[in-house]
Amino acid sequence: MIDHAHDLGAVREATERLLDAVGKLDNAAVAEPSRLPGWSRGHVLTHLSRNADAIGNVLRGLPMYASSEIRDADIADGAPRPVAEQLADLRETADALQAVSTEPADWSRTVALRNGVTDSAARVPFRRWVEVELHHVDLDIGYELEDLPAEFVEREIAFLADRFLGNEGVPATGLTDLDGRTWSTGGGPPSDLVTVQGPAVELLGWLCGRRDGSALTVAGGPLPTLPPL
């Protein structure tokens, strides 16, 4: 069972780590490239702020974004802002999202996200946790996949494995970490099973497109190519 209150607490903790790290940057650092192609650190920070707004919209029953074009324009417009404005925006939007999340609500209800995706309201806080943690890594300011909470790593592997499950463009794939935990993904024939083994953080890095999978051991075929997230 998903514990949305627990996940909201995890979001607060992850956000505080992010705010502390961003508070140590200067304007020049915010303008430098992030690890995401074509995005500066300012783009990543602005995206996180606008995503907090968007998650709040979802919980209110509103469209997540007015449109993809407006979403992209808002990120581009906000990216050049100085660090003080970025920091204030991050803090204010995070606080607003926490406030919305404490309002009485039916957390078992289904909510609409982007591109026709729906999910249980109870899983929305975890989705926000994913945004904060992975984009903190994308900033390239000293926070790495190895620094992610162990609970987060395990749950995000399961989330992404489930996301690709049934996708016929991905071979049937069995994942195993060094602790013996296993997950299944892909949608190809079971007879063509590919097995992928390695440290949990490397499995996560490959699944979320932050690592190339070279640290993993693969059998039964080449390392599968995953669709973009």
Side-chain angles (χ1 to χ4, degrees), residues 64-76 114-115:
M64 190 170 186
Y65 295 98
S67 69
S68 294
E69 293 76 16
I70 291 175
R71 170 189 176 274
D72 294 345
D74 285 345
I75 294 170
R114 294 182 70 201
N115 302 321

Side-chain angles (χ1 to χ4, degrees), residues 118-156:
T118 61
D119 204 350
S120 164
R123 194 148 69 163
V124 170
F126 178 73
R127 287 177 175 271
R128 174 60 180 175
W129 190 10
V130 172
E131 293 285 327
V132 176
E133 293 285 16
L134 293 186
H135 286 316
H136 192 166
V137 173
D138 293 333
L139 288 172
D140 194 17
I141 54 176
Y143 191 72
E144 303 294 342
L145 294 177
E146 287 77 8
D147 298 312
L148 295 169
E151 178 199 351
F152 174 82
V153 172
E154 181 177 2
R155 289 179 61 187
E156 179 64 351

Side-chain angles (χ1 to χ4, degrees), residues 200-216:
V201 71
E202 294 292 347
L203 290 172
L204 172 60
W206 169 63
L207 287 166
C208 72
R210 269 74 177 180
R211 300 262 169 100
D212 63 8
S214 59
L216 300 170

Side-chain angles (χ1 to χ4, degrees), residues 11 26 28 35 53 63 80 110 137 151 155 161 178 188 193 213:
V11 170
D26 57 22
R35 288 173 172 166
D53 291 337
T110 298
V137 173
E151 178 199 351
R155 289 179 61 187
L178 298 183
L193 180 69

Side-chain angles (χ1 to χ4, degrees), residues 6-31:
H6 167 82
D7 290 348
L8 287 169
V11 170
R12 283 193 296 270
E13 292 175 5
T15 301
E16 286 304 316
R17 286 193 293 272
L18 176 68
L19 290 169
D20 182 64
V22 174
K24 298 172 183 175
L25 302 179
D26 57 22
N27 292 336
V30 169

Side-chain angles (χ1 to χ4, degrees), residues 8 12 59-60 92-104:
L8 287 169
R12 283 193 296 270
L59 293 177
R60 292 187 182 95
E92 290 168 7
T93 53
D95 288 347
L97 177 56
Q98 287 289 333
V100 171
S101 301
T102 60
E103 296 174 0

